[in-house]
Amino acid sequence: MIEVRALAKSFKVFKRPAGLGPAIRSLFHRKFETVEALRGLSFDIAAGECVGFLGPNGAGKTTALKILSGLLYPTAGTVRVGDFVPQNRETAFLKNITLVMGQKQQLLWDLPPAETFAMNRAIYDLPRREADETEALLVELLDCKELIQKPTRQLSLGERMKCELVAALLHRPKVLFLDEPTIGLDVSMQARMREFVQKYNQTFGATILLTSHYMEDVTALCPRVIVIDKGRLLYDDTLRALTRRLRPERHVAIRLSAPVQSVALPPGASIMRQTQSEFVLSVAIDQINDVVRFALAQLPVADLTIEDPPLEDVMRGLFAEGKTA
Amino acid sequence: MGLASTLRAYPTLLRIGLAQMIAYRAEFLIWILTTNMPLVMMGLWTGVAADGLVGRFNQRDFIAYYLAVLAIRILTNNWLVWELTMEIRQGALAARLLRPIHPLVAYSAMHLSALPIRALVITPIVGVLIWSSGDLLTAGDPAMLAVFVSSIAGAWLILFLTMLIIGTLALYIDSAMSVFDLWLAIHFVLSGYLVPLELLPSWVEPIAMALPFRYTLAFPVEILIGKMSLEVGLSHLATQWMFVLGLGVSASLLWRAGMRRFVAFGG
């Protein structure tokens, strides 16, 4: 569905230090520097996949999404989305995709979201019945029926984001580029958005490329991640494999039903955190069975959970690895 | 988007544009009412003409001329250059580019949707014009009326396309607004906004004839107040629409080339 080959994008950026002197000098002599946002990026995404697109600030994620959605022309390399070359911006291509940016909006500011929906129905030339059904479904999934008649400017950020998604998905795009769709939302709203994206992916079989700095979004939605830094590909595989490679240990959290003063741990386990009623152990993956058996036999266990290390830790490890590579 | 789909979408775009306009009604009205220079010039020139003809103009001609200038200016003016420059600089143009309708079609709908309110605003001006100078107006002659209406459409298109071209320059240079300021200064003189063109020094005439400014204002005004024969009017109309065609092609080429430079910063 998405094919990216040796994608490069550079920008010419005007540069001058702060202050009056440099401002006056810049009238006569301007200094430009070339910023290479993407440097030979390649990857493929199959139809129906939901892929996390990760990287630190300035990695080139948004630039890549803008090229994929046809907003920017690549400096070099090729991109295909379905049967289309995005920068040609053919009508059929635009009717098949959407780009949602958490920090930007397409809703008409002074009119109720319902007017933006009406405009999009007309622009996408949607059959009335299909548009009615889709709008009703999206409004129900996002629980925003009460919001769509109020002027957009009077809605909160989370409310606007719900309506933004309805507007962006009214034409049932097959490919979704989601750039920080949960940014600035509270925890419950983030969870709701995640649920919604998952349902949309399942209901319509849509292909989704998602960037987010909230690792919960990625963990919940994306079995596969593509990680880039400074415009280069750092990693492209499953989230699980990434975790295994960089942090080949699991976290075993044991809640105790009675206090324990000390415990002699089996080999391969170390204590990360300990209180009188709880242990959190870091355990080598091949020792998990032994440690769990030991805990259940030797300790008054009330509850026991096994988790991967937090994705934030994994990503930190990957970026550190990328810097030293 | 094909022509048929665009035509189907257009009424909705016009309706939404009008709804947006009404949301900003006070600001919009104040902006329109700041177009008062023709009234100042009318006061000045009727004073000058108190002692006799100025060129072909007597006091009543000046009153008719400047009322027509005011009405046509309000009807055909647009603010696309501000909007486009801002959307390019702030990256907001990205949202338009993602939609399967050409942004220029969407802009045209938004600006055309302002016409009913603009028409409403000029109604009293037209009323005064008819009351004060009804006998001078050529609108009773169907042929002249047809030329006048076509010249208004041409004037609107020349202004829209010029604003589009200047706004699109924001893709190439840091500040397209300074280009607009320069254009506006020349427009005030060569469009007949400040002074009827025939009262300017004779060497200005060939310059004014070779540039599109006069076709945005002086031409429809002169047709309306009977200062131009049908034959000359038809010839000017042909020239006006040649400018429309030329500007349309230029705007299209500039836009296409500019899109390669769009960086969508902040958007």
Side-chain angles (χ1 to χ4, degrees):
Chain A
M1 176 58 90
I2 297 175
E3 186 186 293
V4 177
R5 292 287 174 272
L7 179 62
K9 177 70 186 177
S10 54
F11 298 102
K12 205 170 131 190
V13 180
F14 169 50
K15 202 177 178 188
R16 79 164 170 81
L20 182 61
I24 293 170
R25 272 195 295 279
S26 76
L27 284 173
F28 305 99
H29 179 65
R30 297 207 150 193
K31 281 186 186 167
F32 290 93
E33 76 172 23
T34 301
V35 175
E36 292 185 43
L38 296 173
R39 311 170 194 219
L41 191 62
S42 298
F43 59 82
D44 291 283
I45 296 175
E49 263 195 291
C50 188
V51 177
F53 195 40
L54 308 177
N57 290 329
K61 305 181 296 290
T62 302
T63 300
L65 288 188
K66 285 176 179 171
I67 291 175
L68 284 167
S69 54
L71 288 178
L72 300 182
Y73 280 70
T75 308
T78 58
V79 177
R80 289 194 75 83
V81 176
D83 297 327
F84 303 100
V85 175
Q87 67 261 29
N88 293 344
R89 276 210 289 276
E90 292 165 64
T91 301
F93 166 72
L94 294 172
K95 283 186 171 183
N96 258 306
I97 66 143
T98 200
L99 168 65
V100 176
M101 296 191 182
Q103 302 184 71
K104 283 282 163 185
Q105 63 162 27
Q106 63 155 313
L107 295 172
L108 301 165
W109 187 247
D110 290 295
L111 302 180
E115 293 284 38
T116 305
F117 304 163
M119 184 178 76
N120 281 5
R121 280 166 176 244
I123 287 175
Y124 286 92
D125 202 16
L126 302 176
R128 190 187 176 89
R129 195 168 156 195
E130 182 191 312
D132 284 346
E133 280 173 16
T134 313
E135 188 177 320
L137 175 70
L138 295 173
V139 166
E140 189 193 326
L141 282 174
L142 284 159
D143 190 20
C144 57
K145 194 175 178 182
E146 303 301 315
L147 309 175
I148 63 175
Q149 303 295 343
K150 294 181 187 172
T152 300
R153 64 171 185 268
Q154 290 175 5
L155 301 178
S156 71
L157 175 65
E159 290 172 338
R160 278 207 306 272
M161 199 59 214
K162 285 178 173 184
C163 298
E164 193 70 42
L165 276 172
V166 177
L169 301 176
L170 204 55
H171 58 291
R172 295 190 190 176
K174 285 285 178 202
V175 182
L176 274 60
F177 301 113
L178 305 178
D179 190 14
E180 306 276 359
T182 55
I183 197 162
L185 303 185
D186 64 38
V187 179
S188 67
M189 194 63 80
Q190 283 177 27
R192 185 153 211 145
M193 288 291 169
R194 284 196 285 273
E195 254 173 55
F196 171 77
V197 172
Q198 202 157 35
K199 271 186 191 160
Y200 187 89
N201 175 235
Q202 288 160 359
T203 310
F204 297 104
T207 308
I208 297 175
L209 187 57
L210 165 85
T211 81
S212 181
H213 286 292
Y214 297 121
M215 291 304 134
E216 292 91 335
D217 293 348
V218 181
T219 317
L221 295 169
C222 309
R224 175 185 162 199
V225 291
I226 293 171
V227 186
I228 65 171
D229 190 16
K230 295 189 175 68
R232 290 197 180 90
L233 186 71
L234 276 190
Y235 179 83
D236 180 3
D237 203 341
T238 63
L239 200 50
R240 183 165 283 261
L242 177 65
T243 310
R244 293 277 181 282
R245 178 157 79 81
L246 290 170
R247 299 292 298 267
E249 77 274 4
R250 292 289 193 86
H251 291 176
V252 178
I254 304 165
R255 197 159 55 79
L256 303 170
S257 56
V260 171
Q261 294 306 320
S262 65
V263 61
L265 293 171
S270 59
I271 295 177
M272 292 177 64
R273 224 173 32 245
Q274 179 183 5
T275 63
Q276 282 203 331
S277 59
E278 189 186 44
F279 285 96
V280 179
L281 308 175
S282 174
V283 181
I285 202 140
D286 55 351
Q287 299 294 316
I288 290 282
N289 287 345
D290 292 346
V291 171
V292 170
R293 210 174 298 123
F294 165 83
L296 292 174
Q298 303 292 323
L299 300 169
V301 176
D303 189 21
L304 186 150
T305 55
I306 304 168
E307 291 169 349
D308 282 329
L311 189 53
E312 283 84 350
D313 292 355
V314 177
M315 297 308 296
R316 260 197 298 276
L318 182 63
F319 296 144
E321 193 182 69
K323 280 190 183 107
T324 54
Chain B
M1 198 174 190
L3 183 63
S5 321
T6 304
L7 290 176
R8 275 198 296 276
Y10 215 77
T12 307
L13 294 178
L14 288 173
R15 185 184 67 72
I16 301 276
L18 187 62
Q20 282 183 290
M21 203 68 56
I22 290 167
Y24 284 115
R25 59 193 185 278
E27 187 186 5
F28 181 70
L29 274 177
I30 290 167
W31 185 69
I32 282 180
L33 293 174
T34 54
T35 308
N36 50 22
M37 183 57 83
L39 297 178
V40 176
M41 298 310 289
M42 184 169 72
L44 196 75
W45 282 102
T46 48
V48 173
D51 297 331
L53 283 175
V54 181
R56 290 191 294 156
F57 285 74
N58 60 26
Q59 280 186 312
R60 286 188 66 231
D61 290 328
F62 276 120
I63 290 169
Y65 182 87
Y66 284 111
L67 286 175
V69 163
L70 183 61
I72 292 171
R73 166 88 176 162
I74 289 174
L75 193 66
T76 57
N77 200 11
N78 73 71
W79 64 96
L80 179 61
V81 70
W82 286 278
E83 194 174 22
L84 191 52
T85 306
M86 186 200 69
E87 290 193 0
I88 289 170
R89 286 169 67 94
Q90 297 183 356
L93 182 64
R96 291 187 189 276
L97 292 172
L98 286 168
R99 293 180 182 136
I101 190 167
H102 200 292
L104 305 188
V105 174
Y107 284 130
S108 73
M110 183 181 289
H111 288 266
L112 276 176
S113 67
L115 282 182
I117 296 183
R118 287 172 182 272
L120 203 64
V121 171
I122 66 166
T123 302
I125 301 169
V126 173
V128 175
L129 178 62
I130 293 169
W131 172 73
S132 66
S133 321
D135 57 318
L136 299 177
L137 304 183
T138 55
D141 177 349
M144 290 299 271
L145 182 64
V147 174
F148 172 68
V149 172
S150 306
S151 74
I152 290 290
W156 188 90
L157 279 167
I158 288 179
L159 283 170
F160 180 79
L161 292 168
T162 305
M163 295 301 103
L164 179 61
I165 287 171
I166 297 173
T168 305
L169 289 179
L171 292 162
Y172 298 83
I173 55 176
D174 281 344
S175 174
M177 288 311 291
S178 52
V179 178
F180 171 71
D181 289 339
L182 178 65
W183 176 88
L184 194 62
I186 301 170
H187 172 80
F188 278 163
V189 178
L190 294 186
S191 69
Y193 182 67
L194 294 179
V195 182
L197 289 178
E198 63 190 71
L199 301 184
L200 291 174
S202 58
W203 58 267
V204 178
E205 175 83 11
I207 299 172
M209 288 297 282
L211 296 171
F213 299 99
R214 69 172 299 146
Y215 300 97
T216 63
L217 197 57
F219 168 47
V221 168
E222 287 168 19
I223 281 282
L224 180 66
I225 66 169
K227 292 288 181 196
M228 192 176 280
S229 68
L230 180 61
E231 192 183 5
V232 177
L234 285 169
S235 152
H236 275 54
L237 191 64
T239 311
Q240 184 193 44
W241 282 84
M242 289 304 287
F243 273 117
V244 170
L245 190 67
L247 288 167
V249 172
S250 306
S252 171
L253 293 174
L254 199 67
W255 179 268
R256 274 166 184 254
M259 279 302 100
R260 298 187 77 92
R261 305 171 67 101
F262 182 54
V263 285
F265 283 137

